[in-house]
């Protein structure tokens, strides 16, 4: 995972740190996680239950859900329509891997960039931010 604020800090660091000149860096949060461990925590945040994973294609599964989102958007006073908050093809890409993916960000640390972000906390901060900006519901919508 890569948090945008961490990536921005790393970009400024790489642009201003002389030893980082003409180098490429892989910037990531700096911790390791598995979705199977994170999903129950995300579900708890949203007051939802977790069940056995079910392989599915998000683009197909979500193709007819725009009206449901419109109802939720109206119920909750949300600011963004379905097309603005959904990227199912990206979800299919990320969640379809059948292997653990680890990105090595140690080169940046060797060159002097030592900041990191806890991925779990990043998600909860982002969810809080999205709730505060009325991008996602503050409460579990009736339609769910």
């Amino acid at each position: 995972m890569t948090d945008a604020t961490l990536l921005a800090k790393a970009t400024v660091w790489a642009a201003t740190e002389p030893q980082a000149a003409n180098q490429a860096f892989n910037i990531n949060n700096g911790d390791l996680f598995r979705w199977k461990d994170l999903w129950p925590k995300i579900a708890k945040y949203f007051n939802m239950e977790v069940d056995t994973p079910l392989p599915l294609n998000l683009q197909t599964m979500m193709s007819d859900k725009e009206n449901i989102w419109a109802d939720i958007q109206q119920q909750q006073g949300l600011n963004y329509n379905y097309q603005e908050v959904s990227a199912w093809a990206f979800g299919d890409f990320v969640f379809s891997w059948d292997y653990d993916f680890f990105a090595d960000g140690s080169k940046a640390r060797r060159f002097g960039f030592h900041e990191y972000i806890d991925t779990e906390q990043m998600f909860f901060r982002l969810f809080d931010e999205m709730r505060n900006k009325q991008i996602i519901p503050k409460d579990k919508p009736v339609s769910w």
Side-chain angles (χ1 to χ4, degrees):
M1 283 294 146
T2 303
D3 178 80
T5 56
L6 182 68
L7 183 58
K9 289 177 182 181
T11 301
V12 170
W13 166 80
T16 58
E17 177 60 44
Q19 69 176 356
N22 300 314
Q23 296 290 323
F25 298 97
N26 182 13
I27 302 300
N28 52 54
N29 288 354
D31 59 353
L32 300 176
F33 75 97
R34 285 195 162 141
W35 282 112
K36 72 177 187 73
D37 298 325
L38 190 54
W39 282 127
K41 295 172 184 177
I42 291 173
K44 183 177 178 182
Y45 177 92
F46 287 105
N47 297 316
M48 299 174 77
E49 294 179 22
V50 177
D51 204 341
T52 305
L54 175 66
L56 56 87
N57 179 285
L58 289 171
Q59 284 183 279
T60 302
M61 181 71 172
M62 301 304 290
S63 65
D64 63 347
K65 305 301 187 278
E66 190 165 354
N67 289 338
I68 294 171
W69 181 259
D71 290 345
I72 293 170
Q73 185 180 8
Q74 184 176 1
Q75 284 175 18
Q76 300 279 323
L78 303 179
N79 293 325
Y80 297 91
N81 68 42
Y82 189 74
Q83 298 304 319
E84 294 171 305
V85 297
S86 60
W88 305 118
F90 181 73
D92 284 334
F93 170 71
V94 171
F95 301 130
S96 67
W97 299 340
D98 60 355
Y99 56 89
D100 288 329
F101 180 86
F102 299 106
D104 182 7
S106 63
K107 179 180 176 184
R109 287 190 294 282
R110 287 192 306 274
F111 277 70
F113 185 75
H114 299 288
E115 294 197 42
Y116 69 93
I117 291 180
D118 179 270
T119 297
E120 283 184 29
Q121 295 306 311
M122 174 200 74
F123 274 110
F124 300 132
R125 179 181 46 78
L126 290 171
F127 296 151
D128 288 345
E129 184 179 322
M130 286 188 273
R131 281 180 163 171
N132 290 334
K133 292 181 177 180
Q134 294 179 282
I135 298 170
I136 61 174
K138 288 188 185 282
D139 299 309
K140 189 173 169 183
V142 175
S143 298
W144 285 3

